[in-house]
Amino acid sequence: MDLINLRILDILDIVLVAFLLYYIYKLVKGTAAINIFIGIVMIYLVWKLTQFLAMEMLSSVLGEFIGVGMFALIVVFQQEIRKFLLMIGSTNFGRRRKFLRQLKFIRDAPEDSVTNITAIVTACSEMAKTHTGALIIIKRSTSLDFVKTSGDAMDVLVNTPIIESIFYKNSPLHDGAMIIEDNSIVATRVILPVTNDNNMPLRFGLRHRAAVGISEKTDALALVVSEETGKLSYIKNGEFVIFKTEEELIEKIKRDLV
């Protein structure tokens, strides 16, 4: 019986390690950190091999290197670690609630977000037709107070005309980002942190870099209308989400907010 339990735990151990490595790889894929990640994996495998072959001196040197290197890795992978923790702690919360709801641990949970997503997307589509630049951030679970203070506080119900008027090129509020919480516009002219991803295509300007930056540091959702191309982009977890129609985009955002 102990042998069977041990084998089951071994399989679970392998699956969990593979799952962890997959998510780490997903976070650093396409960035300069991917080369560092591959190097660390290779050094770790060599270290384990030297232990298995009883090469004590080399094993000791590599062991010390890995031990001291962990502190350096925290600095090198600061953004990736933050993003990883946000991914585990925030972005999958809705899925966990859905799973628990199916098991009847959570009852009578609301299925729809209170945010008027249709009004937001409609406003973005209209601004895209006139090449009116816009940057809209929709709060999920992570607090956005650290960026809201950089802009002008508001408390306006979300609706299409208001959003379009705020981003109208002659409006004093059009520059910067708009923050939406629940179904209210709570701040405008907000300054956001930009991403440090050097692999981001040059065709994307500061609006897109700011949208990626805030979605890397928090679990917020971002909508960007390009002033140059008139294209509408949806960004989540530091990545561009592909959609074909306005209706598909609305459904994607609703699912992400639930």
Side-chain angles (χ1 to χ4, degrees):
M1 189 67 180
D2 292 337
L3 182 60
I4 295 176
N5 290 335
L6 179 61
R7 288 176 177 172
I8 293 175
L9 290 175
D10 285 342
I11 294 173
L12 180 61
D13 189 23
I14 293 171
V15 170
L16 290 176
V17 170
F19 181 78
L20 179 63
L21 290 176
Y22 167 75
Y23 266 91
I24 294 175
Y25 173 76
K26 186 178 178 181
L27 288 175
V28 300
K29 181 181 66 175
T31 69
I34 185 62
N35 296 324
I36 301 175
F37 174 70
I38 294 174
I40 293 169
V41 172
M42 291 179 64
I43 291 174
Y44 180 79
L45 293 176
V46 172
W47 176 47
K48 285 300 181 183
L49 179 62
T50 56
Q51 285 185 325
F52 177 75
L53 297 175
M55 301 170 66
E56 295 183 3
M57 183 175 293
L58 184 57
S59 175
S60 176
V61 171
L62 291 175
E64 290 294 331
F65 175 80
I66 291 176
V68 175
M70 290 303 296
F71 295 100
L73 289 178
I74 294 175
V75 177
V76 174
F77 288 101
Q78 181 181 2
Q79 295 297 332
E80 285 73 16
I81 292 173
R82 181 183 180 89
K83 188 177 176 183
F84 177 72
L85 295 176
L86 282 171
M87 182 182 297
I88 293 177
S90 299
T91 58
N92 291 324
F93 182 69
R95 295 176 185 173
R96 289 199 297 272
R97 286 182 62 88
K98 183 178 180 181
F99 175 72
L100 293 173
R101 195 179 303 130
Q102 291 173 346
L103 295 179
K104 308 303 182 184
F105 289 123
I106 296 180
R107 297 177 181 271
D108 301 325
E111 291 292 338
D112 296 321
S113 167
V114 298
T115 309
N116 191 347
I117 304 302
T118 301
I120 298 171
V121 174
T122 300
C124 289
S125 297
E126 292 300 318
M127 291 187 289
K129 295 176 183 177
T130 59
H131 287 226
T132 301
L135 174 54
I136 300 174
I137 308 301
I138 306 174
K139 176 183 176 292
R140 287 205 281 180
S141 60
T142 307
S143 173
L144 298 176
D145 290 346
F146 72 103
V147 292
K148 281 164 54 178
T149 54
S150 66
D152 297 326
M154 296 188 71
D155 187 11
V156 180
L157 196 66
V158 169
N159 64 77
T160 300
I162 287 292
I163 295 174
E164 290 185 59
S165 64
I166 287 175
F167 286 109
Y168 179 64
K169 64 180 180 179
N170 291 330
S171 167
L173 302 176
H174 81 282
D175 198 18
M178 171 190 291
I179 305 293
I180 293 176
E181 295 182 1
D182 294 328
N183 199 38
S184 298
I185 302 169
V186 297
T188 56
R189 294 206 308 171
V190 173
I191 300 173
L192 300 178
V194 298
T195 181
N196 294 320
D197 186 3
N198 295 324
N199 294 321
M200 194 169 175
L202 295 176
R203 67 177 181 275
F204 295 122
L206 282 177
R207 282 193 183 92
H208 292 87
R209 297 189 71 87
V212 173
I214 192 65
S215 67
E216 287 175 338
K217 290 178 170 58
T218 71
D219 67 343
L221 308 176
L223 287 166
V224 185
V225 179
S226 172
E227 190 173 349
E228 290 74 22
T229 65
K231 185 177 180 180
L232 172 60
S233 300
Y234 175 43
I235 300 168
K236 179 181 72 170
N237 297 332
E239 298 179 354
F240 287 79
V241 179
I242 304 300
F243 61 91
K244 294 181 180 179
T245 64
E246 185 176 318
E247 291 74 20
E248 183 183 353
L249 174 60
I250 291 172
E251 290 304 315
K252 283 180 180 290
I253 298 175
K254 284 183 177 180
R255 284 197 300 268
D256 292 333
L257 284 178
V258 171

